Amino acid sequence: MSKRKSKENCLTHGECISQAQRMLRERFCHQKIPGKPFGVESQHKHLLELLKRTAVHGESNSVLIVGPRGAGKTMLLNCVLNELLEVKHVQENVLQVQLNGLLQTDDRIALKEITRQLHLENVVGDKVFGSFAENLAFLLEALKKGDRSSSRPVVFILDEFDLFAHHKNQTLLYNLFDVSQSAQTPVAVIGLTCRLDVLELLEKRVKSRFSHRQIHLLSSFRFKQYLEIFKMQLSLPEDFTDRRFAEEWNQNIKSLCEDRSVEDVLQKHFCSSKDFRSLHMLLMLALSRVTVSHPAIKPTDLLEASRLCTMDSKANILHGLSVLELCLIIAMKHLSDIYDGEPFNFQMVHNGF
């Protein structure tokens, strides 16, 4: 009887660990959007007010969210959209179009994607348009409500915004900003970029139609706040299925933050990169070491995770090679220097060896 009981307890404990890992992985992979992003409260408020004016009052706007990679630009935007879509009237009315400069490499592809995301393929059909502007105007006109008195607001999200500036004549940007400036259709154009000089890339006619609103995301927090973020990211919520397990887990995270070796690891990461992406990578590697037999994150797990994060990827490739293979690589390196990037064959490598 006692054996069966301990077996059941072990299973329950295993399920708790599995559930905790799933919850934290969703957090680290940005699959679960946080209530409000940390340290960017003013930017969150500004963007929310801006989008509310478009979604509720039908006012057109354009804005750029600028910040380094991993600063939380997409996370901030998703938090704002999530909060906005909680309002029933907004949820039923607002349409979203998401474009990415890496995928939509020219205006033709971008227009096709806009048509697809607005579900207007049937409306366009085989119609032939004289220009990009006519086509876009037709698409937005098709979004008019039944009484044709007002149009549904559209939020255009342009990720990797600087890449759209390299399109021929910047036609897409010109037309989107032109629509956002005129009172035809309520449109919000949101650009996300990591280039601070992005406005210099815009043509004069495009720049004149842009509102010049910019929201900057810069990691300005100190190490003490970084520790708080670390603790917050690893802690389990109060509504976790097993409250006792959550309390024990959170207590362990608290003692982890007070450990000197953990502080040193975090200080090293903080000095090299403050962004959330690198922190999440560190936490993900540490979390993957948690098992039923190893039920909590220990300082050694973080030390090992830090070592894996900071390892040289090229040096990693050479691990486990035999002496012969290393000698052949050295021979290839010599040939590469001699022939200055010109091609060479295996026989030449063998002769060098």
Side-chain angles (χ1 to χ4, degrees):
M1 186 71 181
S2 61
K3 268 187 183 178
R4 191 184 295 167
K5 261 190 177 178
S6 64
K7 225 176 187 181
E8 282 172 7
N9 288 343
C10 177
L11 182 72
T12 310
H13 194 62
E15 282 176 347
C16 285
I17 287 170
S18 178
Q19 200 173 338
Q21 280 185 319
R22 189 173 69 249
M23 194 176 279
L24 294 174
R25 278 197 193 110
E26 280 176 1
R27 194 182 290 171
F28 301 156
C29 297
H30 305 284
Q31 288 172 325
K32 196 170 184 182
I33 302 161
K36 276 192 181 179
F38 185 84
V40 286
E41 288 79 10
S42 61
Q43 290 96 322
H44 180 275
K45 190 184 173 187
H46 183 187
L47 189 60
L48 184 62
E49 281 174 7
L50 206 71
L51 290 182
K52 260 185 185 169
R53 291 210 291 271
T54 303
V56 181
H57 306 296
E59 182 187 307
S60 291
N61 281 303
S62 55
V63 64
L64 278 177
I65 303 173
V66 186
R69 296 204 183 277
K73 299 185 292 293
T74 307
M75 185 175 69
L76 171 71
L77 180 60
N78 288 341
C79 284
V80 168
L81 289 171
N82 223 32
E83 199 170 318
L84 198 66
L85 293 172
E86 283 173 9
V87 182
K88 197 185 176 190
H89 165 70
V90 173
Q91 201 174 17
E92 289 169 354
N93 269 343
V94 173
L95 295 165
Q96 285 180 52
V97 175
Q98 299 203 345
L99 303 175
N100 192 309
L102 295 166
L103 301 173
Q104 282 78 49
T105 49
D106 64 46
D107 292 340
R108 188 179 54 82
I109 299 168
L111 195 63
K112 224 175 192 177
E113 186 59 20
I114 292 168
T115 311
R116 189 189 68 79
Q117 289 191 33
L118 294 175
H119 307 293
L120 295 174
E121 294 98 331
N122 297 339
V123 180
V124 174
D126 298 323
K127 286 186 178 69
V128 178
F129 296 96
S131 67
F132 184 95
E134 279 177 31
N135 203 336
L136 186 67
F138 177 80
L139 288 176
L140 294 172
E141 185 67 27
L143 298 172
K144 296 263 184 192
K145 288 180 185 170
D147 59 356
R148 294 197 167 267
S149 61
S150 59
S151 189
R152 293 181 72 178
V154 188
V155 177
F156 285 93
I157 298 158
L158 307 181
D159 213 344
E160 304 291 344
F161 178 84
D162 49 289
L163 296 180
F164 287 101
H166 298 305
H167 289 194
K168 193 185 175 184
N169 301 332
Q170 298 182 356
T171 313
L172 175 74
L173 296 182
Y174 173 77
N175 283 287
L176 285 178
F177 287 150
D178 191 44
V179 171
S180 73
Q181 208 179 48
S182 63
Q184 307 163 8
T185 313
V187 159
V189 183
I190 305 161
L192 289 90
T193 181
C194 54
R195 284 191 64 164
L196 289 166
D197 64 341
V198 69
L199 289 181
E200 303 303 314
L201 302 174
L202 300 178
E203 288 177 9
K204 202 175 177 180
R205 63 181 191 136
V206 179
K207 209 184 283 188
S208 67
R209 278 160 177 77
F210 175 52
S211 67
H212 289 267
R213 282 195 189 93
Q214 289 188 53
I215 295 173
H216 288 271
L217 288 187
L218 301 167
S219 307
S220 56
F221 48 81
R222 302 186 183 281
F223 181 65
K224 198 177 177 183
Q225 290 169 306
Y226 190 75
L227 270 174
E228 277 298 310
I229 294 167
F230 168 79
K231 187 180 171 183
M232 198 166 67
Q233 291 295 306
L234 275 178
S235 297
L236 292 174
E238 287 178 8
D239 60 350
F240 189 75
T241 319
D242 191 326
R243 189 168 283 186
R244 192 181 161 195
F245 177 84
E247 281 172 9
E248 285 174 8
W249 178 276
N250 290 345
Q251 191 55 47
N252 173 64
I253 299 304
K254 193 181 175 186
S255 59
L256 205 64
C257 293
E258 291 159 7
D259 191 282
R260 185 69 198 158
S261 60
V262 170
E263 209 171 296
D264 289 343
V265 166
L266 293 174
Q267 183 77 59
K268 185 181 168 186
H269 271 262
F270 178 75
C271 291
S272 63
S273 174
K274 289 183 188 179
D275 67 64
F276 286 99
R277 206 172 287 171
S278 63
L279 177 65
H280 284 157
M281 175 58 81
L282 177 77
L283 299 183
M284 184 72 93
L285 289 168
L287 182 69
S288 64
R289 293 170 68 87
V290 174
T291 58
V292 176
S293 55
H294 184 82
I297 296 173
K298 299 277 188 288
T300 49
D301 297 331
L302 275 160
L303 285 164
E304 180 59 24
S306 174
R307 190 184 66 80
L308 289 169
C309 277
T310 53
M311 273 175 91
D312 182 8
S313 57
K314 283 180 182 163
N316 283 350
I317 298 167
L318 301 176
H319 281 220
L321 293 183
S322 66
V323 176
L324 173 61
E325 287 165 333
L326 284 169
C327 288
L328 289 172
I329 287 169
I330 293 164
M332 285 160 68
K333 173 73 176 78
H334 281 301
L335 284 172
S336 185
D337 290 344
I338 293 164
Y339 291 104
D340 193 25
E342 289 293 311
F344 49 84
N345 59 26
F346 184 75
Q347 187 61 49
M348 293 160 79
V349 175
H350 186 260
N351 293 342
F353 164 71

